[in-house]
Amino acid sequence: MAIKLGHNLLKVMTHIKCRGKFYPRTDNAVIRTAVPDDKVPWNIEWPEYNPVTYTAPHLLGTGDQLPSWADPEDMAGVCPKWNSPDGNVNRKSHIGDYEVHNNKPRNPCGRTGVQGRGCLGRWGPNHAADPIVTRWKTEKDESGSSKMVTHPKTSMPILQFVAIKRKDCGEWAIPGGMVDPGEDSTSTLLREFLEEALNIEETSVAEERHSIVNQVSRFFRDIAIRQLIHSGYVDDPRNTDNAWMETMAVNFHQPSEIADSCLPSLNAGSDAAEAVWVDICSSNSLYASHSDFLKAVTMLRGAHW
Ligand code: RP5
């Protein structure tokens, strides 16, 4: 499969992780209506479908009590520009125009068994960015020089990626995060990597901070090592019928000849409990759609999966 710029890996996906029994972060108090595979598409009639409505309590405030990254619960007075950039909020989906019913956007991948925003801030698309930082797995040979490690079954070289352990659910993931209001996704890629995989917020010595930021910025700017993997929907467990995650996932690949010099040592911070290099293979169990993104990276780079 050729990976082209702007390729949308999951355009025709059937979401699964946002159809689990319980809505996340509710202590199992919010139960989704079970949506069978054949009832996921909105164009399949299901007149009895009437799932619970849930929006997390901290998103129901008004004025100063509402986080800057969240919409008001009632959008009637706001006149949102659905399917468009809207001030410093991007309400445009990567995957084309979504439908809006009674001022509530409809999840373009179909039913999820819960209405409202759940714990997502925006009605409609909630944009994120995922930096997939990779390198070849190497070992020293008898003469002390590095050689790429191949997998015994496929004889293909093994890629490693920077993984973080999410504090919220304990799952391993790519160190991505939400695009802040007014921020562009490219800046989010860098900021999230610095925060979650390099703990930049806790690096108090100014020179060290500058050196880390400069080193990673240079690496992320290098177009020779950068490749867009996915821009589109994410099968995130937080998705609802009216709010969903979308991301721009970009691979930054360290060439093997300079593998040791591109990045500082990993150090988990922000929403990450751990940050480590992990061998990529099909048995990695990762948050949301992150395994799909890694599979695409292995195909692109000719690595073991
Ligand atoms: C996933 O949630 C995205 O792929 C991204 O990795 C992440 C962003 O949400 P937070 O990590 O900020 O919660 O859907």
Side-chain angles (χ1 to χ4, degrees):
M1 178 178 77
I3 311 271
K4 290 183 277 197
L5 208 69
H7 186 81
N8 190 307
L9 285 173
L10 311 172
K11 199 162 187 169
V12 288
M13 74 176 308
T14 300
H15 51 203
I16 296 168
K17 294 193 177 177
C18 59
R19 285 188 289 140
K21 183 165 181 190
F22 301 109
Y23 190 83
R25 304 186 194 177
T26 63
D27 287 334
N28 297 349
V30 176
I31 300 177
R32 292 181 187 267
T33 297
V35 180
D37 288 351
D38 61 334
K39 294 268 180 46
V40 170
W42 292 109
N43 60 3
I44 304 297
E45 296 224 355
W46 189 3
E48 309 80 37
Y49 180 68
N50 186 21
V52 65
T53 299
Y54 174 69
T55 295
H58 63 283
L59 301 176
L60 297 174
T62 51
D64 289 350
Q65 289 152 357
L66 190 65
S68 61
W69 45 267
D71 285 332
E73 177 65 0
D74 183 0
M75 294 293 272
V78 183
C79 302
K81 292 187 184 132
W82 301 121
N83 287 302
S84 299
D86 184 7
N88 63 9
V89 181
N90 181 13
R91 301 195 189 279
K92 205 171 163 48
S93 166
H94 286 294
I95 51 177
D97 284 359
Y98 48 85
E99 292 175 27
V100 180
H101 291 257
N102 301 323
N103 230 0
K104 293 192 172 36
R106 246 188 186 181
N107 186 320
C109 281
R111 299 180 175 100
T112 67
V114 66
Q115 309 179 68
R117 277 176 293 162
C119 58
L120 294 176
R122 304 286 174 203
W123 293 100
N126 287 253
H127 288 284
D130 285 298
I132 309 171
V133 174
T134 56
R135 69 179 182 191
W136 293 112
K137 183 174 188 173
T138 57
E139 64 185 7
K140 301 269 185 233
D141 63 16
E142 309 80 52
S143 66
S145 36
S146 281
K147 66 173 176 75
M148 286 190 344
V149 177
T150 53
H151 194 273
K153 279 204 182 125
T154 59
S155 303
M156 296 181 87
I158 296 172
L159 269 179
Q160 298 183 313
F161 81 110
V162 174
I164 55 113
K165 191 171 194 182
R166 291 178 64 101
K167 281 185 187 164
D168 61 350
C169 58
E171 285 191 80
W172 287 93
I174 296 161
M178 300 289 190
V179 178
D180 283 342
E183 189 178 46
D184 64 90
S185 307
T186 307
S187 308
T188 313
L189 289 166
L190 177 66
R191 179 179 54 74
E192 288 290 338
F193 191 77
L194 289 167
E195 288 176 6
E196 297 193 345
L198 299 171
N199 196 14
I200 199 73
E201 286 168 316
E202 303 286 319
T203 308
S204 50
V205 182
E207 294 90 82
E208 196 189 339
R209 232 182 123 91
H210 283 142
S211 143
I212 293 175
V213 172
N214 287 341
Q215 197 178 354
V216 184
S217 307
R218 214 169 14 218
F219 176 55
F220 274 33
R221 268 199 313 267
D222 183 349
I223 53 163
I225 55 98
R226 200 172 65 195
Q227 178 68 51
L228 178 67
I229 296 298
H230 173 72
S231 58
Y233 190 80
V234 186
D235 184 12
D236 189 293
R238 295 169 291 187
N239 293 349
T240 71
D241 286 0
N242 311 113
W244 60 91
M245 290 298 306
E246 297 198 8
T247 197
M248 179 175 92
V250 178
N251 177 215
F252 301 92
H253 180 64
Q254 292 192 138
S256 43
E257 57 283 9
I258 49 167
D260 291 335
S261 59
C262 282
L263 290 171
S265 305
L266 302 180
N267 180 13
S270 185
D271 300 331
E274 289 179 54
V276 288
W277 286 98
V278 169
D279 292 0
I280 301 180
C281 69
S282 55
S283 57
N284 296 136
S285 165
L286 298 178
Y287 184 72
S289 306
H290 292 187
S291 290
D292 297 306
F293 304 161
L294 292 185
K295 182 177 184 185
V297 174
T298 61
M299 293 169 88
L300 171 75
R301 306 279 175 203
H304 169 74
W305 172 242

